[in-house]
Amino acid sequence: MSRNPSCRPCRIGIVTFSAGDGGNDKMLVHLARGLSEQGCAVDFITRTKTAPYLDRLPFSVRRIAIDESSRKDRTMSLARYVAENAPDVMLSGKRSDLEVLKAVRLASTNTRVFFRVGTTLSARYDHRSKLVGWWRLRPLRRLFPQADGILAVSRGVAQDICRLLKVPAEKIHVVPNPVVTQDMLSKTPPRPSHPFYTGSPDIPIVVGMGGLRKAKDFPTLLRAFAIVVHKRPARLLILGQGHLKEKLMTLSRSLNTAPWTDFPGFVENPYGYLAHAHLFVLSSLWEGSPNVLTEALAMGTPVVATDCPSGPREILQDGRYGCLVPCGDPHAMAQAMLEVLENPPPPSFLKEAVARYTLAASTHEHLRAFGLLPQEPWETPWAPQDGFGKEERSP
């Protein structure tokens, strides 16, 4: 792939200063792999050489660690990288937006800067005071319009950015996450050794997954599960780690569901847990485009999800591929869980939902957003609904 007369491969720098075990980190690693497979020269720039998922980067992706403690020093190191390598695109994945923008300006190259937004910002700040929300968003409103483009992982996130951060709609690109790899589709992962999977095959297994924090609202899932097990036998696994683990375990004991509930912690490869589960439940209060929901569908696992902002409704296509329930409503969630456990849709049908979220499809949409591939004539560009966000940009 090339866009200049010298036939030099397009070079793309992906920067993330928050490399951890979240879905955002996994998606950036997938994207680096996909871009490399398309012939791009890819540099993956982090603050650490050791983090979950980094070992999945192919040898064709160059890893660069910028471990300076101060923002100024990180910016200068990034500027030296940009000046020496002149990448066509710098993509800021998370917690690196300001450093990336300043570095490119200091280097004085023709590098284009893109920010990636993986969550619905307004929903995150709805749970805080107006003053806190205004203070946290104030620097973003100055920063985001300066980027060459913004990648939003769902239309809901794009609408949110347009309204909240005053970014012109023409700068925002809706690009699905590169969730589904060929490895996931080519073979069924082995059954986990967890006792719930090695016990009675007649007892259905329900899985929830994500960081054990407020946004994922696992208390609602636990309360819904308590209703379910009063009507039929079941088992619940909540995969992930976080500061709310002890509180969630205490809640499970108070609901008298502890014997049928377990918290195995973070699982780097959860596909076996999803593929051999009878149901996956997303209980989040807010998202961007929940990768684990897409992963469950790719495994052919039935799903129930909250209709939170943003992503579940888009992924499930208005409920065609899974039940949508109100946020924070354990009774509605339990009813949907019972209905799906009683009448699960066929796996082949569920797998239809993930076509846009394959590594190949997502990589091509990223390249089109970067301006490195032409837009397909049949594609409809994203645009605000009903003038959404236009009033906010008026003087």
Side-chain angles (χ1 to χ4, degrees):
M1 179 181 299
S2 173
R3 68 183 185 104
N4 56 50
S6 66
C7 293
R8 176 180 69 87
C10 296
R11 180 168 292 278
I12 299 174
I14 299 176
V15 186
T16 174
F17 287 154
S18 69
D21 60 10
N24 175 77
D25 306 288
K26 185 194 291 187
M27 291 307 103
L28 291 175
V29 168
H30 281 188
L31 176 60
R33 172 182 163 186
L35 292 170
S36 179
E37 290 175 354
Q38 291 299 317
C40 297
V42 182
D43 297 321
F44 202 85
I45 305 167
T46 63
R47 290 184 64 183
T48 177
K49 294 181 180 179
T50 57
Y53 309 122
L54 292 184
D55 60 350
R56 299 186 186 182
L57 287 168
F59 289 114
S60 56
V61 174
R62 183 169 59 163
R63 307 182 198 185
I64 299 173
I66 294 179
D67 58 1
E68 285 87 348
S69 58
S70 74
R71 174 171 281 175
K72 179 180 178 182
D73 290 341
R74 290 195 297 272
T75 300
M76 295 307 298
S77 290
L78 274 175
R80 286 191 292 271
Y81 160 81
V82 175
E84 292 169 4
N85 295 274
D88 298 282
V89 169
M90 287 288 282
L91 172 63
S92 174
K94 191 175 181 183
R95 297 182 184 173
S96 50
D97 298 340
L98 183 60
E99 291 98 322
V100 170
L101 188 64
K102 285 187 173 181
V104 170
R105 288 181 173 177
L106 286 170
S108 299
T109 62
N110 292 324
T111 301
R112 303 181 73 216
V113 175
F114 289 80
F115 297 162
R116 178 182 180 276
V117 182
T119 192
T120 305
L121 295 173
S122 63
R124 173 188 290 175
Y125 294 117
D126 278 348
H127 299 271
R128 306 187 183 188
S129 71
K130 288 185 178 180
L131 180 60
V132 169
W134 174 85
W135 182 255
R136 294 288 181 88
L137 292 171
R138 185 167 173 260
L140 300 182
R141 288 183 175 127
R142 293 198 302 265
L143 180 64
F144 269 57
Q146 299 179 61
D148 292 291
I150 308 296
L151 306 186
V153 298
S154 66
R155 288 180 175 267
V157 170
Q159 297 279 5
D160 199 55
I161 297 166
C162 187
R163 176 184 63 83
L164 203 64
L165 302 183
K166 310 298 189 290
V167 177
E170 58 270 17
K171 278 193 173 186
I172 303 173
H173 308 270
V174 177
V175 184
N177 277 330
V179 179
V180 185
T181 65
Q182 190 58 40
D183 296 340
M184 293 170 59
L185 299 175
S186 61
K187 56 185 178 181
T188 302
R191 196 173 186 88
S193 59
H194 189 282
F196 286 2
Y197 289 92
T198 58
S200 172
D202 298 327
I203 300 179
I205 299 169
V206 180
V207 171
M209 192 167 84
L212 306 185
R213 57 184 187 272
K214 181 176 182 178
K216 303 304 180 182
D217 193 18
F218 288 122
T220 292
L221 174 54
L222 287 170
R223 293 185 177 100
F225 180 70
I227 297 171
V228 169
V229 293
H230 278 299
K231 298 187 177 182
R232 63 169 301 162
R235 302 288 184 264
L236 173 64
L237 284 170
I238 296 180
L239 309 179
Q241 59 189 4
H243 68 282
L244 294 180
K245 181 174 182 177
E246 291 300 323
K247 289 184 177 180
L248 293 171
M249 294 176 69
T250 299
L251 176 59
S252 179
R253 288 191 292 268
S254 70
L255 293 168
N256 297 317
T257 59
W260 311 292
T261 305
D262 194 25
F263 299 83
F266 170 69
V267 177
E268 185 165 336
N269 189 338
Y271 304 130
Y273 286 85
L274 293 172
H276 297 282
H278 298 78
L279 175 65
F280 171 77
V281 180
L282 183 92
S283 53
S284 300
L285 296 172
W286 69 88
E287 287 282 354
S289 180
N291 300 321
V292 66
L293 183 63
T294 309
E295 289 170 338
L297 292 166
M299 295 293 102
T301 303
V303 300
V304 169
T306 51
D307 192 12
C308 69
S310 301
R313 179 167 288 276
E314 294 177 45
I315 294 169
L316 299 179
Q317 297 184 28
D318 296 324
R320 172 177 168 81
Y321 293 102
C323 291
L324 290 162
V325 298
C327 293
D329 188 336
H331 294 282
M333 183 175 288
Q335 183 61 37
M337 292 167 65
L338 289 165
E339 290 175 2
V340 175
L341 288 172
E342 186 67 29
N343 296 294
S348 58
F349 171 72
L350 297 173
K351 292 178 181 181
E352 294 175 2
V354 303
R356 283 195 70 213
Y357 300 88
T358 64
L359 180 60
S362 174
T363 299
H364 277 84
E365 292 202 37
H366 276 85
L367 289 169
R368 282 194 281 271
F370 294 152
L372 301 176
L373 279 181
Q375 194 80 13
E376 299 290 354
W378 62 82
E379 291 181 331
T380 303
W382 174 82
Q385 296 176 0
D386 299 324
F388 190 95
K390 293 182 179 179
E391 295 82 357
E392 288 82 356
R393 292 197 300 275
S394 301

